[in-house]
Each structure stands twice: as C-alpha cells, then as structure tokens.
C-alpha cells in the first residue's frame, strides 16, 4: 500500500487515481474546481467514462479513495504525486502550461517529505527538468526532498480503465533510476511491460506515439480521397494493407478525421516544438491539413448532392469525437456544425450522451430525441460518430421520413450496396461513388496515365 496523490480529476487523473486505489493503494485526488470535487464526493462522475463510476464508488466506500480541493491536505505525506492536469493548446499551438505551473508551485509550498513527482500530463519535452528547476528555486533539494519521473499515459477515452490495466507498455523517464524503479513497482501489480528511459525521451515517446497514430489516420484519409477519384474502396484497401504486420490494421479507418483532446493538441504542440527549434516538420503539418480537409470535403459532397445549402435541413447523427464518450473537444461534428451554419443550413443533431456538452457551445442547432427525429423532413443525414445504436437503424423508416434521401456516412459503417438498395443517395468516405464505379475505374485512371511519359 502506497500513499498516492493525484492532481487533476479529468480523464487521466481520475482513472489513474481510481485504478491505483483499486489495487489497494491509499489515494487522494485533488482538483481546483470545487464543483467537480463535490460531485465526486457524492459518488457522481464529472466525466463520462464506462466503468469508472463503479470503481470510484467502490474505493471511496472502502476509504481508499478521497477527494479534496485543498493542497495542504493532499501534498504532505504523499509518497507519489501524479500530476494529471490539463495542458490545452495555446495561441500558436504550443502547450499552455499554466495548470502545470500552478500545480508545481502548490507542491513546492506544501512538500514536507521525500516525494516522487510523477508527470502524467502530456507536456513539452523539457517540462520535467523545469519542474525540478522550479522546486529547487523554491528551496527544495532534488534527491532529498523530491525526484521527478515522467510517466506518459496511453489510455483511450471510452476504454481508459481497460487500457490502464492492460498496457502495451508503461514508460517511465527520470534522471534517477531508483525513483523510476519506485514508480515501476506501482505498476508491477499488473504488468511487467515497463520501459525506463531518461526524462526527455519519455516525454517525447508520448508525442511521437500520438503523432504517429494521427499520421496513420491522415494517411488513410488521403488514400481515401484518391480512392474516391479512382473508384477504389478504401475499406478494402485498409484491410488489405492491415494484414501486413509491418503496417498493422489499427487506426486505418478512413472517415471525418480525428478529434478529441489529444491528437490535434499533441500534433500541434510537437509541430510548435520543432518549429521554434528551426525545423520544418512538414509531415506533422500535413497530418493536420489533411484532417481539416476531411471535414471540408463533407460540405463539398453536400453541395454537390443537395445544391445550395441555404435553408436546407441537415441532420447529424453523433456529436462526440468518437463513440462511448461525451467528449466533444475538437470533434468533427463541431467543425461541421460551424461550416454548415456558415452555408445557411438548418442543423439538427442527436447523440446518445454528448448533447449536454454540445448544447453549451453550439448555437442554432436543434437537438433531437433520437435519430428518427433528426431524419424527419431532413434533406440530408451525416453519420458523424459511429455509436453502436446507429449501426442498427431502421433504414426504411428513416428513408420514409426524409425530405430528400441523401446519406453521407462519415465513418463508413454501412454497406453501400444495402444503403442504395434502400433507396438512399449514399456516399461514404473513400468508397466508390456508385455501385457501378468499379467498372468505370479504368476510365478514371486513363487520363492520368496518359500524362505519364
Ligand atoms: C488517444 C490515443 O489513442 C491514446 O493512446 C492516448 O493516450 C490519448 O489519445 C491521449 O493522448 O490521452 P483518444 O483521444 O481517447 O486516445 O482517442 P482514439 O481512440 O485514439 O481516437 C482519436 C480520434 O481518432 C477519434 O476522433 C477517432 O474517431 C479517430 N480515429 C481513430 C479515426 O478517425 N480513424 C481510426 O482509424 C482511429
């Protein structure tokens, strides 16, 4: 049993705290927002994460998991302090470290015994060193009062507890191998896949991993655009590529691109770090450009199919940046809503859990009770988030209630031939524009081949 403090009760902090408590440690979670802590004390979750409520309630009831807003309660006596506060994007894409700085100042003010500060927030390379520097400037001695370890997280929203307990790897970086080993012991309760590096390398592994996954998505989205022009089907292309173990099948789903609180922010932050050091991170820039274009392409498709969008009713199925979360940060739906509103369209939307969050930031969207209400009288529907409940929709019912029968499948979850058989004018992402286009493919290829001398 170890005494662990977690700073920040967002997805990362709360999952970290709840899981370590569940493993028998004594955990106290701190957040500076009183409403979040009050909710947690009542057993309510400030975020939607499947399975989390049960783990939190069980460990709170057992007295292993406590919540506070008071640093004086959370810092003294802690053996480990996990810093899991937000690092939002600043104006130039750089990571804004104001929450980290405030956490470090408060740690400095209350530290009273040797404590290992474990940075779990995604922070620019070098932040671990500057954390140590700040503590030294506040009169603390590195190695005697504190040590800093970087421990980036690789958990996905929606399956965070599973990912935490079944990691592909745990990365720990520190100048002090003993401190890293002490943190490794916490993880050895459930995994041996632990890698120890220096501090900056661990910080970089996080950015490089997220940027690589984002790159896979943008890569397949670029291939999807080419497939559309040439009459190939990107779903089969991805499957064909994914069988190659060197490529791997994961993260090759073409669609409306990536969103969420991590990929866009981290790719931008890595780009910024490269640029301020005189580099030209062209690949990282292309990853973001392609992602933005994926959203724009939907509007182009709609213009082509619907015509002028002014006064037309467009329905969005799904708002969350991916299924099983209520998180709408950087979600495709938000970009689409803004673009379509600019075109003068009337918007309707439904999401099983993200409507409350979307309501706060989207004006002029009619929020509906279900997919059928979205469809009634609509000129076009866009499948934005691939929630399971959208996979089993009663298509004849949707079809019958729509004004015009246009269906854009932004996540390629439907069978094109079936959708067309239902009567829809259906388009996916990177799929043949009609069932006969495979036959037209040679024609589409010929002109460009003719240019090759
Ligand atoms: C991501 C990483 O997957 C985690 O490893 C990492 O720990 C986390 O960021 C983080 O840095 O905290 P997350 O943002 O929860 O996790 O979501 P993902 O499941 O990775 O999906 C990100 C976005 O990519 C979603 O919008 C999803 O729709 C999109 N995506 C994903 C695709 O468009 N195609 C794919 O093939 C896969």
């Amino acid at each position: 049993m170890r005494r662990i403090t977690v700073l920040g009760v967002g997805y990362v902090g709360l999952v970290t705290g709840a899981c370590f408590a569940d493993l028998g440690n004594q955990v106290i979670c701190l957040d500076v927002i009183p409403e979040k802590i009050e909710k947690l004390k009542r057993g309510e979750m400030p975020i939607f994460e499947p399975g989390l409520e049960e783990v939190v309630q069980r460990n709170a009831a057992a007295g292993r998991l406590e919540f506070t807003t008071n640093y004086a309660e959370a810092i003294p006596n802690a053996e480990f302090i996990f810093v899991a506060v937000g690092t939002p994007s600043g104006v130039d894409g750089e990571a804004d470290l104001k929450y980290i700085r405030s956490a470090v100042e408060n740690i400095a003010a209350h530290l009273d015994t040797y404590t290992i500060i474990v940075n779990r927030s995604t922070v620019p390379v070098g932040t671990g060193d500057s954390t140590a520097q700040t503590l030294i400037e506040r009169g603390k001695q590195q190695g005697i009062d504190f040590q800093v370890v970087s421990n980036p997280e690789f958990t996905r929203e929606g399956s965070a507890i599973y990912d935490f307990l079944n990691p592909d790897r745990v990365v720990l970086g520190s100048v002090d191998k003993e401190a890293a080993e002490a943190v490794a012991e916490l993880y050895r309760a459930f995994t041996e896949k632990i890698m120890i590096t220096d501090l900056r390398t661990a910080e970089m592994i996080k950015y490089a991993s997220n940027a690589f996954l984002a790159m896979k998505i943008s890569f397949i989205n670029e291939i999807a655009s080419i497939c559309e022009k040439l009459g190939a089907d990107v779903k089969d292309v991805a499957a064909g590529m994914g069988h190659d173990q060197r490529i791997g099948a994961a993260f090759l789903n073409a669609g409306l691109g990536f969103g969420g609180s991590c990929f866009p922010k981290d790719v931008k932050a890595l780009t910024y770090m490269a640029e301020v050091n005189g580099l030209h991170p062209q690949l990282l820039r292309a990853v973001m450009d392609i992602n933005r274009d994926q959203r724009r392409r939907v509007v182009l498709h709609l213009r082509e199919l619907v015509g002028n969008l002014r006064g037309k009713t467009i329905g969005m199925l799904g708002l969350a940046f991916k299924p099983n979360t209520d998180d709408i940060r950087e979600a495709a739906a938000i970009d689409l809503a803004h673009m379509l509103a600019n075109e003068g369209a009337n918007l309707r939307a439904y999401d099983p859990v993200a409507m409350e969050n979307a309501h706060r930031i989207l004006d002029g969207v009619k929020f509906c009770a279900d997919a059928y209400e979205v469809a009634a009288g609509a000129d076009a529907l866009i499948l934005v988030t691939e929630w399971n409940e959208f996979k089993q929709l009663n298509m004849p019912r949707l079809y019958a209630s729509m004004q015009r029968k246009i269906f854009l499948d932004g996540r390629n979850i439907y069978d094109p031939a079936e959708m067309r058989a239902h009567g829809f004018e259906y388009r996916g992402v990177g799929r043949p524009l009609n069932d006969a286009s495979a036959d037209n493919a040679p024609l589409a290829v010929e002109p460009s081949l003719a240019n090759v001398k």
Side-chain angles (χ1 to χ4, degrees):
M1 192 278 276
R2 295 293 183 183
R3 292 186 309 279
I4 297 173
T5 287
V6 179
L7 304 183
V9 295
Y11 286 94
V12 177
L14 197 51
V15 169
T16 302
C19 288
F20 276 134
D22 213 32
L23 293 161
N25 298 291
Q26 190 63 40
V27 177
I28 180 159
C29 291
L30 176 143
D31 203 287
V32 292
I33 300 176
E35 295 79 46
K36 286 190 183 180
I37 294 300
E38 286 315 313
K39 264 190 152 180
L40 283 162
K41 283 184 171 170
R42 292 195 302 268
E44 295 165 25
M45 295 305 102
I47 50 166
F48 175 85
E49 180 63 34
L52 186 59
E53 184 167 328
E54 196 251 311
V55 183
V56 169
Q57 287 176 353
R58 173 153 38 89
N59 286 284
R64 283 191 299 269
L65 184 58
E66 294 167 285
F67 300 99
T68 185
T69 51
N70 186 358
Y71 279 99
E73 224 176 284
I75 303 299
N77 291 320
E79 291 172 86
F80 300 90
I81 298 173
F82 281 77
V83 180
V85 298
T87 51
S89 277
V91 279
D92 293 322
E94 81 282 11
D96 182 342
L97 295 182
K98 60 177 182 257
Y99 301 121
I100 295 273
R101 278 195 285 269
S102 153
V104 174
E105 290 295 348
N106 280 292
I107 291 172
H110 296 282
L111 207 64
D112 71 342
T113 175
Y114 176 73
T115 305
I116 299 177
I117 297 161
V118 189
N119 202 348
R120 209 152 161 71
S121 302
T122 302
V123 290
V125 177
T127 303
D129 288 334
S130 59
T131 296
Q133 195 52 42
T134 306
L135 290 169
I136 291 165
E137 282 162 15
R138 301 292 174 271
K140 306 294 171 192
Q141 273 186 284
Q142 188 161 14
I144 294 174
D145 297 318
F146 74 92
Q147 205 45 274
V148 179
V149 173
S150 163
N151 173 216
E153 56 86 30
F154 303 103
T155 53
R156 292 161 298 175
E157 286 183 32
S159 54
I161 293 179
Y162 176 87
D163 288 352
F164 185 91
L165 295 169
N166 300 276
D168 287 336
R169 78 304 206 184
V170 170
V171 173
L172 300 170
S174 183
V175 289
D176 181 50
K177 292 286 170 273
E178 265 178 47
E181 267 304 325
V183 182
E185 272 311 305
L186 295 174
Y187 285 100
R188 289 220 171 86
F190 55 92
T191 185
E192 285 299 324
K193 296 182 200 159
I194 297 169
M195 178 181 175
I196 295 181
T197 71
D198 64 74
L199 202 46
R200 287 175 183 234
T201 302
E203 290 169 341
M204 189 63 185
I205 288 171
K206 168 68 185 187
Y207 280 106
S209 300
N210 270 6
F212 188 84
L213 292 171
M215 180 191 71
K216 272 189 107 175
I217 299 168
S218 279
F219 177 84
I220 201 66
N221 280 334
E222 181 145 301
I223 295 295
S225 307
I226 304 171
C227 283
E228 257 171 43
K229 294 288 177 205
L230 300 185
D233 188 333
V234 76
K235 257 195 128 161
D236 291 340
V237 171
M241 289 168 62
H243 285 302
D244 186 327
Q245 287 185 15
R246 294 168 302 174
I247 297 172
F251 281 70
L252 286 181
N253 294 321
L256 299 175
F258 54 80
S261 65
C262 306
F263 287 171
K265 166 175 81 71
D266 293 349
V267 176
K268 283 184 212 158
L270 186 55
T271 305
Y272 179 85
M273 279 183 261
E275 284 172 350
V276 294
N277 284 290
L279 303 173
H280 301 281
Q282 300 176 56
L283 182 55
L284 297 177
R285 288 181 196 151
V287 166
M288 290 311 298
D289 284 353
I290 294 167
N291 202 54
R292 185 203 53 221
D293 289 350
Q294 284 310 102
R295 272 85 146 145
R296 290 187 179 162
R297 290 169 56 76
V298 174
V299 180
L300 298 181
H301 276 300
L302 275 179
R303 278 198 210 134
E304 217 176 289
L305 293 168
V306 180
N308 189 333
L309 296 178
R310 182 156 299 280
K312 300 289 175 0
T313 301
I314 311 293
M316 295 197 293
L317 303 181
L319 293 161
F321 83 96
K322 66 173 188 177
N324 299 323
T325 175
D326 67 349
D327 197 338
I328 51 158
R329 286 176 287 180
E330 305 274 343
I334 306 303
D335 291 340
L336 288 179
H338 289 313
M339 285 188 281
L340 293 171
N342 283 343
E343 302 262 328
N346 299 322
L347 291 175
R348 291 199 198 145
Y350 164 72
D351 187 287
V353 299
M355 288 204 286
E356 205 181 307
N357 283 340
H359 200 269
R360 281 191 215 117
I361 61 163
L362 286 183
D363 286 333
V365 174
K366 179 173 185 261
F367 293 99
C368 299
D370 58 23
Y372 302 102
E373 194 186 332
V374 175
D379 292 284
L381 284 183
I382 313 170
L383 186 284
V384 183
T385 315
E386 66 277 32
W387 285 95
N388 273 342
E389 70 174 71
F390 297 143
K391 293 179 181 161
Q392 301 289 338
L393 290 174
N394 180 339
M395 289 301 173
R397 188 176 157 197
L398 278 193
Y399 180 87
S401 71
M402 287 174 74
Q403 169 86 10
R404 292 184 64 186
K405 321 295 183 183
I406 295 163
F407 203 120
L408 293 188
D409 178 358
R411 301 287 173 184
N412 288 342
I413 65 171
Y414 302 112
D415 181 63
E418 272 176 30
M419 292 298 278
R420 288 180 187 125
H422 283 301
F424 289 109
E425 245 183 289
Y426 170 90
R427 284 195 189 174
V429 177
R431 316 197 77 180
L433 293 184
N434 56 60
D435 290 338
S437 26
D439 299 335
N440 297 332
L443 281 180
V445 172
E446 261 165 20
S448 52
L449 281 184
N451 291 332
V452 181
K453 287 275 179 287

